[in-house]
Amino acid sequence: MRPFKYTRATDVAAAAKTVSTNREAAFLAGGTNLLDLMKEGVAKPSELVDISGLAFSKIRSSGNVISIGSTAKNSDTANHALIRRNFPMLSQAILAGASAQIRNMATNGGNLMQRTRCTYFYDVNMPCNKREPGSGCGAMEGINKGHAIFGWSDKCIATNPSDMSVALMALDAVVKVSGADKKQRSIAFADFHRLPGDTPEKDNTLEPGEMITSIDIPMSSAGMAANSYYLKVRDRASYAFALVSVAAAFEIKGGSVAKARVALGSVSHKPWRCDQAEKLLTGKSLKDLNDASLRAAVDAELMDAKPLEHNGYKVELARRAMVLAFKRALKSEVVA
Amino acid sequence: MSEEKTVKNRKNKFIGENVNRIDGIFKVTGTARFATDWPVANVAYAVIAKAATAAGTISGIDSAAAEKAPGVIGVITHKNAPKLTPAGNLSGGSVLQDAKIEFFGQHSAVVVAETFEQAQAAAEMIKFTYAKAEARVNFDELIKTAQKSPSPARADVVRGDFEKAYSAAEHKLDAVYETPIEHHQPMEPHSTIAMWEGDNLTIYNPSQVVMGMRGAMATVFGLKPEQVRVITPHIGGGFGAKGGAWGNTALAAMAAKVVKRPVKLALTRQQMVNSVGLRQKNVQRMRLGADATGKLAAIAHETSTHTGTTSQFVEGCGDVSAMTYAVPNSLISYKTTAMNVISPTFVRGPGKAPGSFALECAIDELAYSLKMDPIEFRLKNEPDKDPANGRPWSSRSVVECLRRGSEMFGWKNRKMEPRQVRNGEFLVGSGVAVGSYPARQQGTSAIAKLTRKGTDVEATVELAASDLGTGTHTILAQIAAETLDLPISRISVKIGDSSLPPAAGSVGSVGAASFSNAVSEVCLQCISELQARSPKSSGPSDPVPVNVAELMSEANLTEFQTRVDARPPAQAGQYSSHSFNANFAEVWVNEQTGMIRVNRMVAVTGAGRILNPKTTRSQILGGCIWGIGMALHEESILDPRWGNFVTRTFADYHIPVNLDIGTIDVAFVAEEDKIVNKLGVKGVGEVGIVGVAAAVANAVFNATGKRIRKLPITPDKLM
Ligand SMILES: Cc1cc2nc3c(=O)[nH]c(=O)nc-3n(C[C@H](O)[C@H](O)[C@H](O)COP(=O)(O)OP(=O)(O)OC[C@H]3O[C@@H](n4cnc5c(N)ncnc54)[C@H](O)[C@@H]3O)c2cc1C
Ligand code: SF4
């Protein structure tokens, strides 16, 4: 670990300015990911700008959105009444991640920004295009059991590990950011994380110095609260990253699916929105939802999966997990 | 418990009681000192830099930046390292004697600095260049050309005519079971403070075998054993990784010598994977044959595995097949191939844990083909003497363990046919397996010191034993207190220091038997010597009750001490002694996701006299939990291209978490063994894990109908 400067930010603009001018500076929130990466020598910031004291820790309802502050803790977010009532799937997703202790430290902004868990990325002795562009991809022909089945490139096959992000993707969230010169913009969740392409070093579409201030979820997504579920499949009961996860949410009106939102986690460089499955499920009458029709929706989505040497199981696992998540989300509405 | 106590008519009864750990208060208040907790003045910090290739030589080292980095006091590489004599005395891990690289992550330099952070920053600055050689790291390829193990301990063991009996057998099984590389990863990573006074070396270092560590350091540094002092009163777990001496301890002492200051060296969690040994990967082919009535006729247990490139250590997977069942024809063999990995070593239940996974799953499979209850099948093949050597058992309680366990578990409700029990999304299944581990006492000396103030006597027992966190302090206090008939608060236990009388180690389940018999003997000797001195006493005839205060005051003594060199009883060698276990597991398998939960477990153990049911139960619980980890989670994965472990941290190397553990019921069957040693203590450190993985795997089969012969059983394998 190399020596670094530490400062406590007092306003967003100044913090953003520091990080945009010093390309080696980084925001520090809960530190649960960044400090690990620094200890491993993966991240080597020369300066840490601690944003945890900034006034973005509120979760509140404003107009037709619920706005989740970027520095609010994961645990406070998951347990907040507004979230539990309107977006229980988001609570489930957050609580499925990490451990109670880590969630007490981790922030929402940091959660969206957390980096891949690819073991070659973490080990500085290994080639990794994401850590060191041009050095090669250690996982491509290595142990890639946990890697992507969708959207990978010949440069990188990593997955995004965030549980929270999978739920946010399905809830049509919007990421609010603020940059140097106080420039603010809104990024649709689907556009926030990116596919690796030729530049896997870039996980997302933030510009240098841009800071996440809040994550806004439209109240229109709250209509799915009663029929939503986050299913995480992992190698042990808790405290493990997903092998595959599913966020499934439905709005049921007049006995049929008025709206379907489905996203998969741990299958791609970004949370994977399942448009195909959504399309096939939307408009379906509940009485037409059965194993076969759910399965058909899932199969349509998974048709394009491109598994690697060691992760072929993910396709079948995703297939089963999606059907199971759909059933749990739809509860009594469908006869299994 | 109505067992006979060692000593009679004592007011203070502690042996066999649930005494709380006497060191518990120090642990929970943070005052128990582990190696690097000792306050040592003027200490410098060392960090190891490791090789990033698996085979070849270091052709260049650029350490200029590191040497100039802030706070750096010394950079040691093979170019400037003092010459040592490591051969044979270290279990593994380089001590910078030459440029050769034997495995990925071999120690390649040590940086010493004023602070840990400075040392770490400088260690990262060292640039190595390598002349790479082809590394032997692809297990699946190498194993194809494995050869008979050159180790005499792993020569073929043949009884009767296996091939003939096997081919004639009515029911046969031929299956291959695979267990991965595993790491011990004790809670406390290996860490050392080393300091020199002239030619005398003192190390604070977690050592399961205190005297062994002293001897190893003495040879490595060319000293007399008395010139080395090893201090290790508390150890944060070892499981075999702290049994031998590894390069890191020698490097700490070397660094202290070079910089002429005390040096602290702690391995990081990531460094543990290639510094202090591992459990080798085992591929075990099992062939079993039985007649129509379920009598076993033949067992072959053929293990293919790897060694390191510089050691021939091979754990004895086949041992279990030599002694668990009465079978007239058997064959046990080992083939090995050398790999560029850190040397394999003892890991909890060495040989027996992976060996029993193969044997006990194979027994389960054969029971299915016989359509016979697997417990009945085992009972049918219960041996009346040890088939491995023809010796009588000093005691053997497999049958009782199985009977008691099946009652506790409710085995009679189990459906033999797989996939019969369903609970919502889950398939429910039950499995059983047995385990064992040899019981031995080893020579151990001990001193007892008594101090009297009026009618109040305090006693200290001293021996170079070790406490891995298992309760050694506590059981020794119990024995001393009861034998001397003193309150336990009047007993001090001094262990973990090589300047104390030499003792066995906490390895291979010999610790409890060796230490406790020595302490018992020294306390009894105290009494008889005091009686001999007492004017009122008629001599050393152990009249009861004992009152050491009275005896001392009659002899006009305020201080008294005596020493014994306890040895195992001569007749013990003519018997076969083991601790035994029966494990039962109920698993819930989510049929869709493949996620497995071990909902319920029962472990019944026969291990001679149980000195403290509370700490013993903890040992068995630990064994069960680690066994669940072995069955479902643990796997160290080598990248077959480069020989690095891709499972360097607990993010990738999974062990069970609380939520993975359901109910575990532990019980002991009474075993009165007057042969194994005077106290009849057998030891439970290893046996708790043996058999657990098989019980879980057998339960998974019972639940799902899928026989997974390759551990760990992760969801992907059930897809
Ligand atoms: C052992 C372990 C297990 C875990 N398991 C899971 C799991 O199962 N599922 C899961 O989803 N996660 C898991 N996590 C990850 C955890 O959720 C993240 O570490 C955490 O959410 C990061 O938040 P933080 O506030 O600590 O971020 P930090 O570590 O402080 O920062 C992470 C990154 O985000 C940047 N950043 C932080 N805040 C902002 C902001 N407002 N705007 C722009 N950039 C910002 C930082 O510069 C840094 O690059 C696990 C972590 C650990 C250590
Ligand atoms: S998958 Fe991506 S993160 Fe992993 S080694 Fe390849 S480039 Fe690096």
Side-chain angles (χ1 to χ4, degrees), chain A residues 25-37 48 51 70-74 93-94 96-99 102-103 105-115 117 122 161-165 192 206 210-213 232 234 239-242, chain B residues 651:
Chain A
F27 297 122
L28 175 70
T32 60
N33 190 216
L34 183 54
L35 297 189
D36 274 1
L37 292 168
L48 289 183
I51 57 169
S70 65
T71 61
K73 301 295 186 192
N74 282 178
I94 296 172
S99 66
I102 291 169
R103 294 193 298 267
M105 283 300 290
T107 65
N108 299 325
N111 196 314
L112 266 52
M113 295 292 290
Q114 66 174 297
R115 309 216 62 190
R117 290 283 157 171
Y122 261 81
S162 165
D163 287 300
M164 182 179 186
S165 296
F192 182 76
L206 284 190
E210 272 186 329
M211 194 187 116
I212 302 170
T213 53
K232 181 173 178 181
R234 42 191 149 175
Y239 205 24
F241 290 95

Side-chain angles (χ1 to χ4, degrees), chain A residues 1 40 119-120 138 236 328, chain B residues 124 270 425 639 641 655:
Chain A
M1 187 158 75
E40 292 273 17
T119 167
Y120 299 91
R236 63 182 170 195
R328 288 191 187 171
Chain B
E124 285 172 18
Q270 290 87 332
E425 289 166 10
D639 190 308
R641 299 165 297 173
I655 57 174

Side-chain angles (χ1 to χ4, degrees), chain A:
Chain A
M1 187 158 75
R2 75 163 180 180
F4 57 88
K5 188 173 149 197
Y6 171 88
T7 50
R8 234 179 255 269
T10 47
D11 81 288
V12 203
K17 184 136 197 228
T18 311
V19 176
S20 67
T21 41
N22 177 3
R23 289 295 168 93
E24 292 193 336
F27 297 122
L28 175 70
T32 60
N33 190 216
L34 183 54
L35 297 189
D36 274 1
L37 292 168
M38 288 166 68
K39 287 185 225 163
E40 292 273 17
V42 175
K44 299 179 182 178
S46 62
E47 186 173 359
L48 289 183
V49 181
D50 187 340
I51 57 169
S52 58
L54 294 180
F56 298 112
S57 61
K58 291 268 176 328
I59 293 155
R60 56 170 185 255
S61 165
S62 58
N64 50 4
V65 301
I66 302 274
S67 181
I68 302 170
S70 65
T71 61
K73 301 295 186 192
N74 282 178
S75 44
D76 293 337
T77 309
N79 295 322
H80 199 283
L82 281 174
I83 303 300
R84 289 170 56 164
R85 190 178 329 125
N86 297 300
F87 315 115
M89 182 171 71
L90 178 59
S91 290
Q92 287 176 335
I94 296 172
L95 295 175
S99 66
Q101 293 91 330
I102 291 169
R103 294 193 298 267
N104 285 341
M105 283 300 290
T107 65
N108 299 325
N111 196 314
L112 266 52
M113 295 292 290
Q114 66 174 297
R115 309 216 62 190
T116 183
R117 290 283 157 171
C118 171
T119 167
Y120 299 91
F121 172 73
Y122 261 81
D123 185 345
V124 295
N125 290 312
M126 294 290 119
C128 170
N129 287 325
K130 186 182 277 298
R131 174 169 33 77
E132 212 179 307
S135 64
C137 171
M140 187 69 72
E141 280 162 9
I143 310 296
N144 48 32
K145 186 180 162 193
H147 290 73
I149 54 173
F150 286 116
W152 49 269
S153 73
D154 61 350
K155 296 284 187 300
C156 178
I157 55 175
T159 58
N160 183 302
S162 165
D163 287 300
M164 182 179 186
S165 296
V166 185
L168 289 172
M169 176 68 107
L171 293 168
D172 293 322
V174 171
V175 183
K176 299 270 196 183
V177 307
S178 177
D181 310 326
K182 302 189 179 167
K183 252 207 287 199
Q184 311 210 341
R185 49 183 195 119
S186 300
I187 308 170
F189 209 85
D191 300 328
F192 182 76
H193 295 101
R194 57 187 294 284
L195 291 178
D198 285 335
T199 50
E201 65 275 18
K202 282 177 66 99
D203 294 347
N204 52 55
T205 52
L206 284 190
E207 298 295 334
E210 272 186 329
M211 194 187 116
I212 302 170
T213 53
S214 71
I215 301 145
D216 292 0
I217 310 176
M219 275 310 286
S220 54
S221 291
M224 303 186 290
N227 290 103
S228 63
Y229 196 82
Y230 186 74
L231 176 70
K232 181 173 178 181
V233 185
R234 42 191 149 175
D235 277 330
R236 63 182 170 195
S238 167
Y239 205 24
F241 290 95
L243 297 170
V244 163
S245 70
V246 188
F250 303 94
E251 190 174 323
I252 309 296
K253 268 193 196 144
S256 63
V257 177
K259 189 160 142 190
R261 290 288 182 272
V262 183
L264 285 171
S266 285
V267 296
S268 177
H269 202 255
K270 61 188 288 186
W272 195 254
R273 183 72 177 258
C274 301
D275 304 317
Q276 295 295 325
E278 289 178 9
K279 216 180 288 166
L280 287 171
L281 292 171
T282 308
K284 272 249 155 45
S285 156
L286 285 180
K287 41 184 203 322
D288 296 335
L289 290 181
N290 49 38
D291 269 323
S293 61
L294 295 179
R295 190 113 189 169
V298 167
D299 286 344
E301 192 64 49
L302 293 172
M303 221 160 55
D304 301 330
K306 288 194 182 59
L308 301 151
E309 188 183 348
H310 299 292
N311 70 0
Y313 73 95
K314 277 196 180 187
V315 181
E316 178 59 23
L317 185 55
R319 184 170 283 134
R320 297 174 179 202
M322 286 169 83
V323 173
L324 187 57
F326 292 171
K327 286 185 180 172
R328 288 191 187 171
L330 293 162
K331 289 175 213 122
S332 52
E333 324 281 353
V334 280
V335 192

